[in-house]
């Protein structure tokens, strides 16, 4: 079992920045590739970004490429999502998740463990 707890969400104006954190406990964090997903009201959960267990590889959805950066610190059992130049359409609940499938897994069903989510609201 892996327990994941997100933090860092909040209310921010258009163009602002937020840094989300996801702290892991339980099984060895470095065994897992990690991803961030988001879900807006009335919409399906969608892939945002992922990072390989050794941080060598990252993968982003097109709409956040160049604005968001995923990173991890295996010594701290934490994965981060730095979000810059935020837009109203980035408003959603953001979830971190763990998988052994690979860093390019964009389908939510391929992830075994999920956090409870943190709300990000971008106001215009």
């Amino acid at each position: 079992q892996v327990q994941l707890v997100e933090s860092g969400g909040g209310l921010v104006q258009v163009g602002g920045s937020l840094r989300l954190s996801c702290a892991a406990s339980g099984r060895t964090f470095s065994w897992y590739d990690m991803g961030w997903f988001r879900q807006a009201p009335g919409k399906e959960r969608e892939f945002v970004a992922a990072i390989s267990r050794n941080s060598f590889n990252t993968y982003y959805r097109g709409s956040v490429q160049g604005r968001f950066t995923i990173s991890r610190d295996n010594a701290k059992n934490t994965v981060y999502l730095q979000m810059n130049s935020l837009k109203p359409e980035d408003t959603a609940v953001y979830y971190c998740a763990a998988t052994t499938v690979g860093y390019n897994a964009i389908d939510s069903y391929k992830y075994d463990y999920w956090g409870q989510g943190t709300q990000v609201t971008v106001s215009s």
Side-chain angles (χ1 to χ4, degrees):
Q1 286 281 357
V2 176
Q3 293 78 43
L4 302 171
V5 179
E6 301 96 336
S7 61
L11 175 65
V12 63
Q13 291 187 333
V14 170
S17 298
L18 281 175
R19 187 195 196 201
L20 305 183
S21 299
C22 173
S25 60
R27 290 186 173 179
T28 305
F29 180 65
S30 61
W31 289 357
Y32 297 90
D33 304 298
M34 297 297 296
W36 285 96
F37 288 74
R38 66 187 181 188
Q39 188 167 18
K43 295 187 177 181
E44 294 187 354
R45 189 170 299 189
E46 63 182 19
F47 170 81
V48 176
I51 188 168
S52 60
R53 58 201 70 187
N54 54 17
S55 299
F56 286 174
N57 301 102
T58 57
Y59 190 66
Y60 298 91
R61 73 178 296 108
S63 61
V64 308
Q65 183 82 44
R67 299 189 297 122
F68 290 11
T69 302
I70 188 170
S71 62
R72 66 190 292 165
D73 185 338
N74 286 350
K76 295 183 178 180
N77 292 346
T78 302
V79 61
Y80 305 96
L81 186 67
Q82 177 68 43
M83 305 186 295
N84 299 328
S85 303
L86 283 161
K87 304 176 181 180
E89 52 264 42
D90 295 318
T91 295
V93 177
Y94 282 72
Y95 301 88
C96 69
T99 181
T100 56
V101 171
Y103 75 94
N104 55 354
I106 65 172
D107 301 303
S108 59
Y109 72 86
K110 294 181 179 178
Y111 287 77
D112 301 306
Y113 303 103
W114 292 83
Q116 83 290 347
T118 185
Q119 176 71 48
V120 172
T121 303
V122 184
S123 65
S124 56

